[in-house]
Amino acid sequence: MHMLNLGILAHVDAGKTSLTERLLHSAGVIDEIGSVDDGNTRTDTLALERRRGITIKSAVVSFPLDGVTVNLIDTPGHPDFIAEVERVLGVLDGVVLVISAVEGVQAQTRVLMRTLQRLRIPTLLFVNKIDRSGARQESVLREISARLTPAIVPMGTATGLGTRAARFTPGPGPAGALDVLTGHDDALLSAYVENGVTDALLHGSLVAQTREALVHPVYFGSAATGAGVAALLSGIETLLPAAGGDADGPVSATVFKVDRGPAGEKVAYARMFSGTLRTRDRVPFGTDGAEGRITGISVFGHGTDTREDSVTAGRIARLTGLGDIRIGDAIGEPRKTYEHVFAPPTLETVVVPGPDVHRGALHLALTQLAEQDPLIGLRRDERRQETSVSLYGEVQKEVVQATLADEYGLDVTFRETTPLCVERPVGTGQAVEFNKKDSNPFLATVGLRVDPAPVGSGVGFRLEVELGSMPYAFFKAVEDTVRETLDQGLHGWQVTDCVVTMTHSGYSPRQSHAHQGFDKSMSSTGADFRGVTPLVLIEALRRAGTRVHEPMHRFRVEAPADTLGALLPVLAGLAAVPETTMNGDDVCVLEGTVPAARVHALEQRLPGLTRGEGELESSFAHYAPVTHGTIPERPRTDHNPLDRKEYLLNVTRRVCG
């Protein structure tokens, strides 16, 4: 039986989870359709999901579809949980993107579609809620064509819109989309010119182009009534590609989700791309050369996951036994480098424990949450005994708070959310500390030069000294410490888009006394290089200078034309810069940039300014130099190499101790 790993994606409240329930019911997996409002859906299993009526964690459930077993992955729709969507995209064979027939194309719909097109993931569009008042067909198709992609093939017609009697009638399908299909199919174009187009030729072209993500079939229906779902299921079976992979090839899998079992053990959700994995197999995973033994395998199929002795290529499994596994890790042979397809979090907040909360227990709980969400970064300040978390938005902060209370019994609050800035060098600077000279207490010579690099290039490390001039472990200690030190620049923010070059090196060779062992007081160790490198690097950065950049979002506001006068001064007050303005008879569209820290305030102000009719779309655009107010500073969590005396006092005490 063929396998298909299918993702269900949508803007929040488009009916994604309800469609999942309807598909499971139509396939005979469940007897009754769960309700998001009632909190009894199959995939929203967290108490918090059921209470809030939104999907927070991706969930896997399977169902049979004639000759195909579908592993269906329900994903969150709210942009604050985009990390959950990101992890799923790399393991999918196809996607159903759900759009509301009432609201039409929404902000998150566009973000998702752009990503699906960039990754070339075959995608069907399902326009849901045709039974709701205000449901539309032709205008939604125009929105899809204008705001998502013109390469669409309507697969039928909806009738009775806005009533419980709304229906979807398949056809004409590809026959009505010759212009779209012939644009990518020369054989079909030739047949059309020669009046030789057949239904079989049209269908074959539609299948091929859908599987190559060149065109996107559009279905209309209702998850609530079941209208159009049979046609959608037929499209899923015939138009989307089956999972590939050689069961006899080398083991290669990707982990897209990590949970913890009842006993606290890690459970990895992995998609098998090649080979066969068996219980008790010892496999490499991750990028650090770690190995682990598989102690349990559960394979998805026929509505649930069942214990099996093995899992083969194309399937999804729950694996236990890999204690240090992380989301994004490859198991066996790496398939490709795991890359983020959405922007990283741009906000940060400090978690404040309640009066009865033990800080150690809080840190452990936050660490476990971060394991399940790799785009949430933790930052521990040992001196202040504080932990910061990076976030996408205010809703995510509320969910973290509720999760800590519900699952760990920890009562916390948060400080004000602040933007997560970066620092970039503005010039070139270099510094050096020589072994046994001046006030250098470390038996190591390290010279470093910092140069600016192109935006988006990250951090590079190079050598201008011979690799054989000292043991390789010392060079590795310098490089690792450089990357660690750059997490906190002159203003406390991560330093990026630079090249650090090692210009000087030197060490004291291994010394020992007669009949005695190695003498650390006379011989260089890795600790010497790790100790002196931050002093050298920070001094080089000080001479180069750095500029703090804040995250900026690109925004698009669509609102009634007569509200433009009220919108513009508010946007100015939020430091937003409109770059284009389009005025229609009834609607105005503003596009521009706004600091990430002001997006939430804009979301809150918009309904009141536009009589509830305004629509905001925003996404991370770039980092821009801070030009207003004081330069933001971030408290340091290291031993503060900016203050040489304080740093040496802390580090030498730690090394000697």
Side-chain angles (χ1 to χ4, degrees), residues 425-448:
V426 295
T428 295
Q430 58 185 9
V432 62
E433 293 273 351
F434 291 101
N435 185 2
K436 300 178 181 177
K437 286 189 178 180
D438 301 324
S439 59
N440 179 10
F442 303 103
L443 298 179
T445 294
V446 173
L448 298 171

Side-chain angles (χ1 to χ4, degrees), residues 66 93 98 153 263 398 404 426 432 435 455 571 574 576 591 639:
D66 293 334
D93 303 304
V98 184
V153 180
E398 295 169 15
L404 289 171
V426 295
V432 62
N435 185 2
V455 172
L571 289 172
L574 295 173
E591 294 184 349
H639 292 288

Side-chain angles (χ1 to χ4, degrees), residues 286-363:
T287 58
D288 301 328
E291 281 195 353
R293 189 181 301 279
I294 303 297
T295 58
I297 297 174
S298 295
V299 177
F300 288 91
H302 303 290
T304 185
D305 61 300
T306 55
R307 296 282 291 193
E308 300 283 351
D309 293 329
S310 64
V311 57
T312 57
R315 309 200 74 172
I316 289 176
R318 300 172 76 245
L319 308 174
T320 54
L322 307 178
D324 296 324
I325 197 77
R326 295 173 297 182
I327 291 169
D329 278 352
I331 298 176
E333 290 193 1
R335 179 167 170 263
K336 64 178 181 179
T337 303
Y338 182 78
E339 297 179 353
H340 295 314
V341 295
F342 297 109
T346 56
L347 302 173
E348 184 178 53
T349 185
V350 174
V351 185
V352 180
D356 299 323
V357 173
H358 188 271
R359 292 182 182 272
L362 174 59
H363 183 66

Side-chain angles (χ1 to χ4, degrees), residues 414-493:
F414 298 92
R415 291 188 192 155
E416 182 183 1
T417 303
T418 57
L420 203 51
C421 300
V422 299
E423 293 182 49
R424 291 185 176 129
V426 295
T428 295
Q430 58 185 9
V432 62
E433 293 273 351
F434 291 101
N435 185 2
K436 300 178 181 177
K437 286 189 178 180
D438 301 324
S439 59
N440 179 10
F442 303 103
L443 298 179
T445 294
V446 173
L448 298 171
R449 184 178 68 247
V450 177
D451 295 293
V455 172
S457 61
V459 174
F461 182 79
R462 299 173 184 170
L463 296 178
E464 277 187 3
V465 295
E466 292 187 10
L467 190 58
S469 62
M470 65 181 187
Y472 173 75
F474 294 161
F475 286 111
K476 188 69 167 65
V478 172
E479 180 177 358
D480 290 348
T481 307
V482 162
R483 296 186 183 280
E484 180 182 335
T485 303
L486 288 177
D487 282 342
Q488 301 181 70
L490 303 182
H491 300 278
W493 304 104

